[in-house]
Amino acid sequence: MHGALTATASMLAFAACRTASLAATFRSTGTVAATQHRRLKEAVRAGEPLFGLFLNSASPLVAEQLATIEGYDYMLVDIQHAPTDYANLAACITAVNAAGLPALVRVEGPHDRGGIQQALDLGAAGNQGRRTVAACCIMVPTINTAADVEKAVSAAYYPSDERPTGSRSISWPIRPQLGRGVADYVSSANDEVTVMVQCETRQCHENLGAVLSVPGVDACFVGPVDLSHALGLAQSLGFPACFDSPQFKDRLARILRVCRAKGVTPGNFAVSEQKAQEMLGQGFTLLATGTDVGLMAEAAAKNAAFQNTAPAAAESSKQVLPPPASSGSASSAAASLPPERLKQLRRDGLALKDVIKMGRRGAADGLAKQVQQRWNTSEVARLHCHGKHAANMKLLVQQLEEATGGIVVHRAGGTVLLYRGDSWQRAEGQPRIAEGQQQEEGQDGGGKQHQHQQQQAPPVSDC
């Protein structure tokens, strides 16, 4: 498990370097001050361009590795759309802080008083050398009315002359208070809290003036996906094409106008350099350039594409393959198989007792004869590869498809299920093996075949 997590974190870090470079691009112009030396609240209120990621994986390992990549200003730990709890939230915040970045937290909504309390008490603060970045920051989604904002603001601030409606509960010791006396912390805590609301519903968009008039709101972050659907633009114009439509851009322009009028910093998503340039040009300065899970999927897709074009393909071109045993090609047959039929074939294949073992570098034509004999009584052959080289196994499976006219319907680990296809016919004069009297036939790396007594197939968990 640890190895899988490490590999995932490495893949994320590789993909995240692309989005981190967006921040570096703008920072190179000298227009961005490093937030490590200033409070996040001050940077947000000043409208400085800030770039960060949303963390939805609920993984402290991923959080720390991404936070160490130079170029980001913050990491936002998501409670709303992540499978997490308060203990894991604490671990993720600590991991981000260990890398020297402030950790923002998106709670579940204005009703989530417990989430707001925990996020602030866990002290989302980043350390840069001996300097502390005070950054107790929450983002509140699903805002509809000014009353929603008042509820969230009340939970975020301690009661004071400036915040008479504040109702945050006082406790100690808590992370942001460490190194300070309780009275000293409580008197300055409200100046360190940053409250962001999200505009992502029709009602919020229509009531935005009143929503942003509530004292204590520092930033308004657009939820473009929810907002486009709430306004009906995604349905009428298509998704994500609606984001580039004049109608949606008009909605964003209205949000910007209200934010300027109320002295609130606007924020939005920008997952490409072009989009970041566009958002900055419009006036959005608080930008999220992606999510950890999204970057993982992007990196994994590129990794899978690389494996599909592995150099082993060049080796296969040197081998002459026997003609297919069926009139139809494997690819055309596979395309005609309904999804339910594929599922049934997988279920049937997993229950087979006959196993054809193939060596790491076995020849396809020799194995094809074994497969065709098995197919006198079974339409699915289960192949179990003992080789350790996935590229060689993949090449061998490809050759078997061509040599037998079969279709690979399942491949996992060292197990392959090969379907013979409805058009397969037994070769003229080929002996028929009675069911129940089948023998396993193995082949080592040099092509030498061996016969063994029938054995049980590997358990399903091996696949």
Side-chain angles (χ1 to χ4, degrees):
M1 176 64 77
H2 176 73
L5 286 174
T6 302
T8 300
S10 298
M11 187 179 296
L12 281 167
F14 177 79
C17 287
R18 175 186 62 80
T19 59
S21 66
L22 295 178
T25 299
F26 300 110
R27 224 173 249 106
S28 64
T29 64
T31 60
V32 180
T35 61
Q36 289 88 343
H37 305 296
R38 296 184 57 184
R39 292 178 176 178
L40 180 68
K41 186 182 184 80
E42 294 175 355
V44 170
R45 297 289 296 178
E48 297 179 4
L50 302 174
F51 300 82
L53 291 178
F54 276 46
L55 304 179
N56 297 101
S57 65
S59 168
L61 176 64
V62 169
E64 184 173 16
Q65 186 154 359
L66 294 183
T68 60
I69 298 175
E70 186 176 354
Y72 292 118
D73 297 296
Y74 69 88
M75 294 284 147
L76 183 143
V77 184
D78 198 358
I79 294 180
Q80 184 190 24
H81 290 299
T84 190
D85 54 26
Y86 293 148
N88 187 263
L89 174 64
C92 288
I93 290 175
T94 303
V96 173
N97 296 164
L101 284 186
L104 289 59
V105 177
R106 178 164 68 172
V107 298
E108 293 183 3
H111 64 281
D112 188 16
R113 182 181 179 87
I116 295 173
Q117 182 79 49
Q118 288 290 332
L120 298 178
D121 282 2
L122 289 172
N127 299 308
Q128 179 71 18
R130 296 191 177 185
R131 297 182 64 87
T132 299
V133 182
C136 293
C137 177
I138 58 169
M139 179 180 289
V140 186
T142 62
I143 292 290
N144 286 310
T145 64
D148 289 339
V149 183
E150 290 170 354
K151 185 183 300 184
V153 168
S154 174
Y157 292 103
Y158 291 129
S160 66
D161 293 340
E162 186 180 358
R163 305 290 181 202
T165 62
S167 62
R168 178 184 172 188
S169 178
I170 300 174
S171 177
W172 73 87
I174 55 177
R175 286 193 71 225
Q177 172 259 321
L178 296 179
R180 291 185 277 183
V182 176
D184 181 36
Y185 169 69
V186 172
S187 64
S188 60
N190 285 355
D191 294 332
E192 300 170 3
V193 170
T194 305
V195 176
M196 304 178 181
V197 298
Q198 278 199 271
C199 179
E200 54 184 354
T201 69
R202 176 185 289 273
Q203 193 173 356
C204 181
H205 186 266
E206 293 174 349
N207 299 325
L208 194 59
V211 164
L212 299 186
S213 295
V214 177
V217 176
D218 299 296
C220 176
F221 196 92
V222 178
V225 177
D226 283 333
L227 183 60
S228 64
H229 283 77
L231 296 175
L233 299 178
Q235 297 88 330
S236 62
L237 302 176
F239 180 84
C242 60
F243 291 150
D244 294 320
S245 68
Q247 296 93 320
F248 189 72
K249 290 181 178 180
D250 286 345
R251 304 303 196 281
L252 293 183
R254 179 178 182 273
I255 293 174
L256 286 167
R257 289 195 300 271
V258 177
C259 283
R260 292 192 190 101
K262 301 299 179 180
V264 172
T265 299
N268 205 339
F269 278 94
V271 295
S272 68
E273 184 173 346
Q274 178 182 355
K275 185 60 69 173
Q277 293 278 14
E278 179 183 336
M279 291 294 107
L280 287 173
Q282 292 175 1
F284 291 99
T285 55
L286 179 64
L287 300 179
T289 57
T291 70
D292 57 350
V293 176
L295 291 174
M296 178 178 66
E298 179 183 332
K302 293 180 179 178
N303 184 267
F306 170 77
Q307 293 184 55
N308 290 336
T309 57
E315 197 174 321
S316 67
S317 63
K318 302 177 183 178
Q319 301 189 27
V320 179
L321 302 176
S326 64
S327 57
S329 67
S331 58
S332 61
S336 65
L337 286 175
E340 290 302 319
R341 178 60 171 149
L342 283 174
K343 292 180 182 178
Q344 182 63 43
L345 288 170
R346 293 188 182 108
R347 287 194 293 268
D348 292 345
L350 292 175
L352 285 179
K353 294 181 179 179
D354 54 321
V355 179
I356 299 174
K357 296 181 179 180
M358 54 186 177
R360 180 164 61 90
R361 297 184 183 275
D365 53 352
L367 280 173
K369 294 178 181 178
Q370 300 179 50
V371 171
Q372 288 169 339
Q373 285 184 334
R374 295 293 177 128
W375 284 358
N376 289 324
T377 56
S378 298
E379 64 178 355
V380 180
R382 182 187 183 93
L383 310 176
H384 190 64
C385 178
H386 291 283
K388 296 181 179 179
H389 299 281
N392 290 332
M393 176 181 143
K394 184 175 181 180
L395 172 60
L396 187 56
V397 168
Q398 179 184 354
Q399 293 174 341
L400 278 169
E401 279 191 321
E402 298 181 22
T404 63
I407 310 160
V408 171
V409 295
H410 177 80
R411 181 166 73 88
T415 303
V416 176
L417 301 181
L418 193 67
Y419 169 56
R420 74 184 183 197
D422 296 329
S423 61
W424 182 84
Q425 299 292 330
R426 183 168 61 90
E428 189 71 26
Q430 183 176 317
R432 179 180 293 276
I433 300 178
E435 199 165 355
Q437 297 178 341
Q438 300 179 15
Q439 294 178 326
E440 288 198 1
E441 302 179 19
Q443 180 174 344
D444 59 18
K448 184 177 180 181
Q449 298 182 10
H450 304 279
Q451 292 188 345
H452 304 282
Q453 293 298 322
Q454 183 178 359
Q455 299 178 357
Q456 292 290 332
V460 175
S461 60
D462 288 347
C463 295

